[in-house]
Amino acid sequence: VDEYIKGREITCALIGNENPKALPVIEIRPLKGKFFDYQSKYTESGSEEIVPAKISPELTKEIQDLSIKVFKAINCKGFARVDFILKDNIKPIILEINTVPGLTQMSLLPKSAKAAGISYTELLDIIINNATHPMTSGTNTVLPGIFMPGITGETPETASGLVSKLNKLMTNVATIKIIVANPIPMPE
């Protein structure tokens, strides 16, 4: 059971491979419930998504920097989104990284890209380019499970070290959940 952390819901989308770019931060305000649940996310007028989030430039940079660190720590590639709770309006608590965030025009990542001046078509071109760009390190192995669809370059022996790696890197991680099953070899 995870501790309940009261605060504002914030998310930061990223695009890139070895040197990801953090896009504008989004604040999610549920309108149909107390938190961003299914009804808030998938029903009309269920939530308000404010991009860029109404937070200080310093806090925005901190959230973007944390997002990049998490992205790199688990060797993400292409695109992802890191979700936070902003505790007491000053302390970003990492909830999770979504390595396969929605890509409809109404999804959070495309909204963040639009705020950065990247059209939906350009975003898709960037994602396709990132996917076809050769990896510079690691093996082409994907570990299935939570967070796993976007991770490459890890072996079963090192996958268990991801949580340790993240915990050493971050002091404000709420929960890290990684489930490792048999690795799925990807074609070279």
Side-chain angles (χ1 to χ4, degrees), residues 13 15 49 88 126:
I15 52 176
E49 293 139 0
D88 302 323
I126 290 167

Side-chain angles (χ1 to χ4, degrees), residues 58-127:
E58 296 80 16
L59 188 53
T60 296
K61 181 167 179 6
E62 180 182 358
I63 289 168
Q64 290 174 323
D65 290 347
L66 287 171
S67 298
I68 289 170
K69 286 179 183 178
V70 170
F71 187 94
K72 287 181 172 184
I74 64 169
N75 202 20
C76 246
K77 304 291 182 208
F79 62 101
R81 200 188 71 235
V82 181
D83 298 337
F84 297 83
I85 290 290
L86 189 56
K87 185 178 181 180
D88 302 323
N89 287 319
I90 56 169
K91 182 174 171 105
I93 305 295
I94 298 166
L95 297 177
E96 66 179 343
I97 182 168
N98 183 338
T99 59
V100 190
L103 286 177
T104 70
Q105 290 183 343
M106 298 307 298
S107 298
L108 294 169
L109 190 147
K111 286 181 181 182
S112 185
K114 183 177 180 180
I118 301 169
S119 73
Y120 185 68
T121 304
E122 290 169 326
L123 175 64
L124 296 179
D125 287 344
I126 290 167
I127 290 170

Side-chain angles (χ1 to χ4, degrees), residues 15 36 137 183:
I15 52 176
F36 194 51
S137 64

